């Protein structure tokens, strides 16, 4: 599984803190992505074939559209699942030691947002794959004209 390190670059109490993010396994990430898209659609997001076509950078821009329309409980669950992928490296001299993050690891509000954004970027490809899975089915249900529209 892919793992990335994020070192908080901004000044303040969180400067230099190191977070280790590990991408969910394929089945868990696929499930997370499908649930996120379904919750966004239920909330009124206009998520469609454009999302399935978007590259990874474009898909990251859909984040506001996706999360902005979700019900609070769905949003909280989606973000909590992302944060399960994040660990803290409390001692830079012992890189092998990590632990689950706790609320006290985030002194600055921006830090939590930036770590969540990094976790989202790590999983954004699964959202694209979920869109590919969901929208061809929708197009087929809408009829031949919609089915011929390019994804």
């Amino acid at each position: 599984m892919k793992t990335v390190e994020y070192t908080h670059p901004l000044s303040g109490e969180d400067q230099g803190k190191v977070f280790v993010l590990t991408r969910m396994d394929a089945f868990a990430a696929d499930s997370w992505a499908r649930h996120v898209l379904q919750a966004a659609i239920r909330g009124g997001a206009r998520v469609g074939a454009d999302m399935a076509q978007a590259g990874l950078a474009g898909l990251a821009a859909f984040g506001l559209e996706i999360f902005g329309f979700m019900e609070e409980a769905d949003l909280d669950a989606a973000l909590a699942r992302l944060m399960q992928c994040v660990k803290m490296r409390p001692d830079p001299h012992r890189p092998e030691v990590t632990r689950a993050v706790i609320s006290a690891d985030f002194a600055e509000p921006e830090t939590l947002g930036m770590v969540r954004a990094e976790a989202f970027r790590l999983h954004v490809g699964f959202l694209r794959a979920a869109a590919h899975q969901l929208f061809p089915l929708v197009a087929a249900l809408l009829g031949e004209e919609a089915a011929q529209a390019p994804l």
Side-chain angles (χ1 to χ4, degrees), residues 14-150:
D14 291 337
Q15 184 178 25
K17 288 183 179 179
V18 179
F19 299 90
V20 179
L21 297 84
T22 303
R23 188 167 61 193
M24 295 176 219
D25 68 71
F27 290 117
D30 174 69
S31 176
W32 172 83
R34 285 183 292 103
H35 293 170
V36 164
L37 288 180
Q38 290 171 334
I41 291 166
R42 278 192 312 270
R46 297 183 53 119
V47 177
D50 290 345
M51 182 177 179
Q53 290 178 356
L56 293 184
L59 191 55
F62 276 102
L64 184 58
E65 178 78 10
I66 293 167
F67 292 123
F69 280 90
M70 292 173 70
E71 295 291 327
E72 288 179 17
D74 292 328
L75 176 59
D76 288 345
L79 294 176
R81 182 60 186 105
L82 276 180
M83 289 304 290
Q84 289 176 3
C85 301
V86 179
K87 296 200 178 291
M88 174 76 172
R89 178 169 293 140
D91 182 355
H93 302 296
R94 297 178 55 205
E96 71 283 0
V97 177
T98 61
R99 61 165 173 73
V101 292
I102 57 174
S103 62
D105 292 330
F106 302 95
E108 306 288 337
E110 295 84 9
T111 308
L112 179 57
M114 293 174 85
V115 169
R116 281 182 177 154
E118 289 299 318
F120 179 78
R121 277 193 258 308
L122 194 58
H123 293 88
V124 75
F126 288 97
L127 285 171
R128 184 176 186 193
H132 274 290
Q133 291 173 40
L134 294 174
F135 295 108
L137 297 174
V138 171
L141 292 172
L142 293 176
E144 190 173 304
E145 181 180 316
Q148 292 177 4

